[in-house]
Structures are given as C-alpha cells and as structure tokens.
C-alpha cells in the first residue's frame, strides 16, 4: 500500500513540475520568444536580488551564512562569464535561479537549489521549456524554496 501511495505522490510531483513550463516546439523558437525569455530572466534577477537581501539575516540567524541567489546561465553545462539572455535561443542554453549558502567555491555553478527558467535543446527536433508566469508565481516559488531550505538542518 505504501509503495502505491509513494508512486502516486511521485507521479503527481512530476506532473506538477512539468505543468510549470510551457513546452516550446522548434517552429515557436523565434525572436518573440526571445523577448519573453529576456523579460522572464530580468524579472528573476530582480526577485533574486530583492529576496537575497530580505532573507540574508534569516539565513544567518539559522547558521547559514553567505546566502546568494542569482540567475545562472549555461550552454551545455558550461557557464561563461559573457553569457547573457541575448543568447537564449542558442542550442543547449539553460537559465535558472540558483540558490546557495555556506562555502561558495570560485565556480559560480556550485549551488544547492535551483528553479528552472528556460532550457532549449537543439537537434533534429528542437524543443524548449519556458517557466509559465501565467499560472505560477515565480517570486512565491523562490520564497517557498528559501523557506524549505531554512527548515532543513
């Protein structure tokens, strides 16, 4: 019985995760989409900065120092300092909100939690996933993630 409930719960979680994103097909990857991605990433950057300032003292009072929240971008897993949202339509581009605390390394890709914003895989059949702001509140999702991190020991 427990295994059946666990499967239902995990399946529901996976469906909720998929629902957060608008699937974008090859013929929909265009300059209009690029503008939406740029706007999403700018909004995410603003939320990240604001919430980092708001939660920094809460984290420190829980012994979790050096809270950092930022929009992280990479192409095929490689972060490049010059990578911006203007390159969001390139193959294997991915952006996400990264959350980390304690023990940062010199590498910006070392983070504890993340929320996907946009990702695109290119190949024979290009497909992308775009965070759906019309259904979900990105700021609330970041805050929920931060609250969850605070609860963890």
């Amino acid at each position: 019985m427990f295994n059946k409930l666990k499967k239902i719960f995990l399946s529901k979680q996976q469906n909720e995760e998929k629902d957060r994103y608008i699937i974008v097909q090859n013929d929909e990857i265009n300059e209009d989409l690029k503008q939406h991605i740029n706007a999403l990433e700018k909004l995410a950057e603003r939320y990240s900065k604001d919430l980092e300032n708001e939660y920094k003292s809460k984290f420190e009072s829980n012994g979790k120092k050096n809270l950092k929240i930022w929009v992280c971008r990479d192409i095929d897993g490689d972060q490049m300092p010059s990578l911006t949202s203007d390159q969001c339509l390139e193959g294997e581009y991915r952006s996400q909100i990264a959350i980390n605390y304690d023990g940062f390394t010199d590498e910006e890709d070392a983070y504890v939690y993340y929320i996907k914003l946009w990702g695109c895989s290119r190949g024979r059949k290009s497909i992308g996933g775009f965070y759906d702001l019309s259904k979900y509140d990105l700021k609330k999702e970041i805050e929920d993630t931060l609250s969850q991190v605070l609860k963890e020991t």
Side-chain angles (χ1 to χ4, degrees), residues 47-90:
Y47 288 161
S48 296
K49 183 179 177 184
D50 292 347
L51 291 172
E52 181 179 316
N53 290 332
E54 182 180 331
Y55 277 81
K56 189 170 248 172
S57 63
K58 294 176 187 177
F59 268 66
E60 287 177 358
S61 67
N62 278 328
K64 297 176 180 180
K65 304 210 181 302
N66 302 319
L67 174 65
K68 184 174 179 185
I69 307 169
W70 73 102
V71 173
C72 169
R73 297 175 181 92
D74 67 67
I75 293 181
D76 198 24
D78 296 327
Q79 290 188 13
M80 297 166 269
S82 60
L83 192 59
T84 68
S85 61
D86 285 335
Q87 293 148 311
C88 64
L89 299 183
E90 290 186 25

Side-chain angles (χ1 to χ4, degrees), residues 91-102:
E92 305 306 323
Y93 177 95
R94 175 180 63 173
S95 63
Q96 50 199 355
I97 296 172
I99 301 170
N100 201 356
Y101 62 91
D102 288 336

Side-chain angles (χ1 to χ4, degrees), residues 15-23 40 43 130-141 144:
N15 287 336
E16 287 175 359
E17 174 72 17
K18 287 178 187 175
D19 286 346
R20 279 187 169 65
Y21 300 91
I22 298 168
I23 301 301
L40 173 65
L43 180 66
F130 180 75
Y131 188 89
D132 190 353
L133 288 172
S134 68
K135 290 184 188 175
Y136 295 93
D137 184 341
L138 182 59
K139 184 175 182 181
K140 182 177 180 341
E141 186 167 349
D144 290 348

